[in-house]
């Protein structure tokens, strides 16, 4: 939205979950005289723009191309939406190829634009209050805090590492995992709460403003991603930009931005996660080198300015 505002457009942000059908969106766009629309996620956002009276573009989310495509009905809807869209944006070449293999006619209208990253850590964030609120002993210098940032829904699999973290914490009380993010799926969120309650060393943390979150990330040993499927994780890229080690599950979306032992660590199961984490605790030099290379990678490939230019140009096609 910032990119479009900066180009002089008036941009209104709406949550797709608030709408049931294309008719509701059609009423909204005609009542408020919108000129164009941009939907995020080919199914969740895109289906609401089917048969739209205004031109629109699509930004692939990740789960649309990786997961929803496996469902016949969703695939049919997504194909129709892509047929109508003026353009579509994929975060990686691999995502573009997956979509183009399914809908060859759309290949020419799919652009690859990586996510641009800009981090803004708060100057006034109080780390000790943060730890206190999470019931984590703040007086320990040896604290190893891992942070898992994700919306609480199954595809993010926030419970994947809970058992190994608890076992590790029992042996080494300096080890803690914080899970932080919005309760996207209320039913699943209560599952997460129940599990975490019985898991020493694992904490479900209160959501916080982004600049506080960036400041908290800077104080952690590492940021973790355990998703089953991922488009392009902004949390991973933000951690890299902030100079924080990233340990991520070895799935295509994560492997597209992390080179194992070069710019982060990729793990294939919870046991490997612990082995890799311990190896970097014992080797601060290697950790520092990985973090530096990751920061350089983000600077080079995830420029916020390039993203701004790309979206400002794409919107002119509408």
């Amino acid at each position: 939205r910032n990119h479009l505002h900066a180009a002089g457009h008036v941009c209104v942000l709406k949550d797709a979950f608030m709408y049931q059908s294309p008719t509701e969106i059609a009423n909204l766009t005609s009542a408020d005289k919108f000129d164009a629309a941009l939907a995020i996620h080919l199914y969740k956002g895109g289906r609401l723009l089917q048969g739209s009276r205004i031109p629109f573009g699509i930004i692939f989310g990740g789960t649309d191309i990786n997961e929803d495509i496996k469902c016949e009905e969703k695939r049919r809807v997504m194909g129709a939406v892509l047929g109508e869209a003026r353009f579509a944006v994929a975060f990686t070449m691999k995502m573009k190829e997956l979509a183009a293999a399914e809908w060859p006619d759309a290949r020419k209208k799919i652009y690859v634009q990586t996510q641009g990253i800009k981090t803004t850590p708060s100057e006034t964030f109080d780390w000790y209050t943060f730890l206190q609120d999470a019931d984590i002993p703040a007086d320990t210098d040896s604290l190893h805090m891992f942070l898992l940032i994700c919306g609480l829904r199954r595809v993010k699999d926030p419970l994947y590492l809970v058992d190994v973290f608890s076992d590790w914490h029992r042996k080494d009380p300096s080890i803690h995992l914080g899970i932080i993010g919005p309760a996207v799926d209320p039913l699943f969120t209560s599952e997460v709460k129940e599990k975490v309650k019985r898991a020493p060393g694992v904490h479900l943390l209160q959501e916080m403003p982004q600049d506080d979150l960036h400041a908290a990330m800077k104080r952690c040993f590492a940021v973790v991603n355990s998703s089953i499927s991922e488009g392009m994780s902004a949390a991973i890229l933000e951690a890299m930009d902030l100079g924080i080690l990233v340990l991520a599950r070895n799935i295509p979306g994560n492997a597209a931005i992390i080179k194992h032992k070069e710019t982060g660590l990729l793990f294939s199961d919870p046991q490997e996660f612990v082995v890799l984490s311990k190896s970097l605790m014992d080797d601060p030099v290697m950790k520092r080198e990985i973090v530096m290379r990751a920061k350089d990678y983000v600077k080079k490939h995830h420029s916020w300015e390039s993203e701004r230019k790309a979206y400002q140009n794409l919107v002119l096609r509408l």
Side-chain angles (χ1 to χ4, degrees):
R1 181 164 59 165
N2 287 340
H3 297 332
L4 303 184
H5 279 168
H9 305 293
V10 175
C11 184
V12 176
L13 208 53
K14 293 287 184 186
D15 183 347
F17 287 113
M18 290 164 56
Y19 299 92
Q20 298 303 311
S21 70
T23 313
E24 290 176 60
I25 292 294
N27 292 341
L28 172 79
T29 56
S30 52
D32 291 354
K33 298 192 168 45
F34 284 105
D35 301 304
L38 188 56
I40 299 173
H41 201 282
L42 186 52
Y43 182 73
K44 286 179 198 151
R47 71 190 172 86
L48 297 168
L49 291 171
Q50 259 189 294
S52 176
R53 62 160 199 92
I54 56 172
F56 65 88
I58 294 286
I59 301 168
F60 296 152
T63 49
D64 41 11
I65 304 301
N66 293 330
E67 302 298 320
D68 292 340
I69 209 165
K70 297 169 190 168
C71 163
E72 184 96 17
E73 170 59 13
K74 288 181 179 177
R75 190 170 67 233
R76 187 191 61 72
V77 171
M78 293 194 296
V81 171
L82 198 49
E84 288 181 43
R86 293 275 177 99
F87 65 81
V89 179
F91 293 144
T92 62
M93 186 48 100
K94 186 165 176 118
M95 214 189 281
K96 171 176 175 161
E97 288 308 326
L98 285 170
E102 189 61 48
W103 302 290
D105 292 351
R107 176 182 286 277
K108 282 195 172 74
K109 64 165 83 165
I110 304 173
Y111 297 83
V112 177
Q113 174 57 48
T114 57
Q115 283 199 72
I117 291 300
K118 191 182 198 181
T119 52
T120 53
S122 158
E123 299 289 322
T124 55
F125 174 72
D126 188 333
W127 174 241
Y128 294 101
T129 305
F130 170 77
L131 293 178
Q132 222 171 351
D133 292 346
D135 281 333
I136 298 168
D139 55 354
T140 164
D141 286 337
S142 63
L143 175 70
H144 289 103
M145 181 77 181
F146 293 76
L147 205 54
L148 174 56
I149 302 157
C150 67
L152 299 181
R153 53 196 176 112
R154 285 185 199 284
V155 75
K156 297 295 183 181
D157 210 0
L159 299 176
Y160 186 63
L161 297 169
V162 166
D163 291 337
V164 289
F165 258 104
S166 276
D167 291 345
W168 190 8
H169 174 80
R170 283 185 191 102
K171 294 172 195 141
D172 177 355
S174 78
I175 301 297
H176 290 266
L177 170 67
I179 301 171
I180 187 164
V184 180
D185 175 341
L187 198 67
F188 180 62
T189 299
S190 48
E191 224 176 280
V192 173
K193 283 179 178 167
E194 276 311 301
K195 175 90 173 175
V196 168
K197 237 185 259 174
R198 301 188 301 273
V202 180
H203 314 266
L204 194 54
L205 307 173
Q206 287 295 313
E207 251 192 291
M208 52 171 72
Q210 196 175 35
D211 49 356
D212 283 348
L213 181 60
H214 288 163
M217 286 160 81
K218 286 189 77 161
R219 300 298 299 263
C220 291
F221 176 76
V223 163
V224 181
N225 177 295
S226 56
S227 297
I228 294 165
S229 171
E230 195 70 75
M232 180 172 282
S233 165
I236 287 180
L237 295 171
E238 286 166 359
M240 289 171 148
D241 190 52
L242 289 163
I244 307 307
L245 177 68
V246 174
L247 292 116
R249 195 163 173 174
N250 194 355
I251 54 169
N254 291 343
I257 51 177
I258 292 174
K259 214 166 167 195
H260 185 55
K261 292 191 175 174
E262 286 285 314
T263 53
L265 298 172
L266 295 167
F267 59 89
S268 298
D269 57 54
Q271 290 67 36
E272 187 183 13
F273 168 83
V274 175
V275 170
L276 289 169
S277 299
K278 285 179 174 173
S279 72
L280 284 206
M281 282 177 181
D282 296 337
D283 193 344
V285 175
M286 185 182 173
K287 182 187 176 207
R288 198 160 53 241
E289 285 171 358
I290 287 174
V291 159
M292 279 164 62
R293 283 193 293 263
K295 204 174 168 67
D296 288 345
Y297 164 81
V298 170
K299 207 172 265 153
K300 201 188 247 163
H301 299 283
H302 295 275
S303 150
W304 192 77
E305 285 77 13
S306 306
E307 182 189 59
R308 167 163 285 199
K309 215 172 287 168
Y311 280 107
Q312 289 176 348
N313 287 333
L314 282 170
V315 163
L316 297 178
R317 293 171 179 270
L318 300 174

